Amino acid sequence: MHNSLNNLIEIQKEIQLKINELNNSIKIPQIIAVTKTHPMSNILPLIKHGHLDFGENKVQEAIVKWQDIKKTFPNLNLHMIGKLQSNKVKHAISLFDYIHSLDNEKLANKIALEQAKQDKKPKIFIQVNLENEDQKAGINRSELHDFYKFCKNLKLNIIGTMCIPPNTSEGNDYFLEMNKINQELNFKDLSMGMSGDYLNAIKNNTTYVRIGSKIFGNRA
Ligand SMILES: *Cc1c(COP(=O)(O)O)cnc(C)c1O
């Protein structure tokens, strides 16, 4: 078996065990296999195994890697997890099924225009910056409710919030707080947890974990 597929299966088993141990009512989260920088030869074993959800962080790289494969495997779900520039929205809407990184009005306006033009509605997460870290993308907590209202008025299909906690934390408190916010807003979906902290995210009811290096190895 290919290494990447073996890793994915081990992670799935580990997650199932963790859920059995914690609380069987926790929903098994969807694993987004984050494929940025990795070649299709390492990704295909997962696709052939039937894995459906994959994440990229750059539009251009995603087009080159995924445009044709998606035609061959139309059930694949492609997730845009990186910063999205407004001038790339047209391509992003045509290729991606999910956008995890909505965090400003200009981008929201552009997505609204483009989804109407293409008659295609991606599922969208609002990226949240809980600790107001300057260098980091995301909507500050104090602006989140207004921003969500703004997006709803534009008829965007917002399904949840997404975060990337500071790498100094293992995520626990941060994830706890995100879960609370997500419930306040009545969202069903939550995108948090990466290779180093996904078990903590699962404890806090995440529904999508985004895992790269633990499946595919370190990025060059
Ligand atoms: C790269 C990336 C991931 C995956 O990171 P790993 O630590 O390799 O699992 C998850 N989320 C985002 C937004 C990323 O850019």
Side-chain angles (χ1 to χ4, degrees):
M1 193 188 293
H2 194 280
N3 241 344
S4 55
L5 178 55
N6 196 45
N7 293 338
L8 173 69
I9 290 172
E10 287 304 314
I11 292 168
Q12 285 168 334
K13 281 190 208 154
E14 184 196 24
I15 287 176
Q16 184 62 64
L17 277 176
K18 186 75 183 174
I19 289 176
N20 294 346
E21 170 199 318
L22 285 169
N23 172 353
N24 275 311
S25 71
I26 291 181
K27 207 178 130 212
I28 297 176
Q30 180 59 55
I31 297 174
I32 299 169
V34 176
T35 51
K36 63 190 189 201
T37 77
H38 295 290
M40 204 30 90
S41 54
N42 291 349
I43 304 167
L44 268 176
L46 271 63
I47 297 176
K48 293 191 171 145
H49 176 72
H51 192 75
L52 294 178
D53 289 76
F54 296 88
E56 290 281 346
N57 70 338
K58 295 204 171 94
V59 174
Q60 196 52 41
E61 179 182 349
I63 291 172
V64 173
K65 269 156 78 177
W66 290 97
Q67 206 159 42
D68 289 342
I69 295 279
K70 273 197 99 195
K71 285 175 194 146
T72 316
F73 299 93
N75 292 333
L76 293 181
N77 298 312
L78 201 57
H79 298 255
M80 174 57 184
I81 62 172
K83 183 158 186 61
L84 180 55
Q85 251 104 40
S86 327
N87 61 354
K88 304 266 171 68
V89 166
K90 182 175 157 194
H91 290 302
I93 300 281
S94 109
L95 185 66
F96 288 98
D97 305 285
Y98 293 74
I99 294 170
H100 290 243
S101 47
L102 175 59
D103 72 349
N104 65 79
E105 293 186 354
K106 184 178 171 204
L107 181 58
N109 280 322
K110 194 71 205 265
I111 292 173
L113 269 178
E114 204 53 53
Q115 70 175 16
K117 262 195 219 164
Q118 298 189 27
D119 193 21
K120 191 169 177 267
K121 261 193 165 185
K123 299 188 175 93
I124 301 173
F125 292 89
I126 296 173
Q127 184 168 351
V128 176
N129 180 355
L130 265 191
E131 292 179 358
N132 306 341
E133 296 169 275
D134 282 342
Q135 76 284 13
K136 204 166 266 182
I139 294 280
N140 291 342
R141 183 175 194 163
S142 58
E143 291 151 17
L144 184 57
H145 281 81
D146 284 346
F147 183 67
Y148 177 42
K149 224 181 279 168
F150 181 84
C151 294
K152 273 203 290 199
N153 286 335
L154 289 172
K155 307 252 183 319
L156 300 188
N157 185 13
I158 308 290
I159 63 167
T161 56
M162 174 274 207
C163 73
I164 306 175
N167 38 24
T168 48
S169 81
E170 290 206 318
N172 250 335
D173 294 348
Y174 206 97
F175 290 153
L176 190 78
E177 204 54 34
M178 283 295 299
N179 184 27
K180 230 188 269 170
I181 289 175
N182 218 55
Q183 285 176 355
E184 272 167 30
L185 290 165
N186 269 321
F187 289 134
K188 286 204 184 73
D189 286 294
L190 183 50
S191 168
M192 62 187 193
M194 306 172 30
S195 287
D197 56 14
Y198 59 90
L199 292 176
N200 283 336
I202 288 166
K203 264 193 249 171
N204 293 294
N205 289 317
T206 192
T207 62
Y208 288 88
V209 290
R210 310 177 308 265
I211 302 181
S213 43
K214 198 144 183 202
I215 298 174
F216 298 106
N218 289 331
R219 288 176 288 274

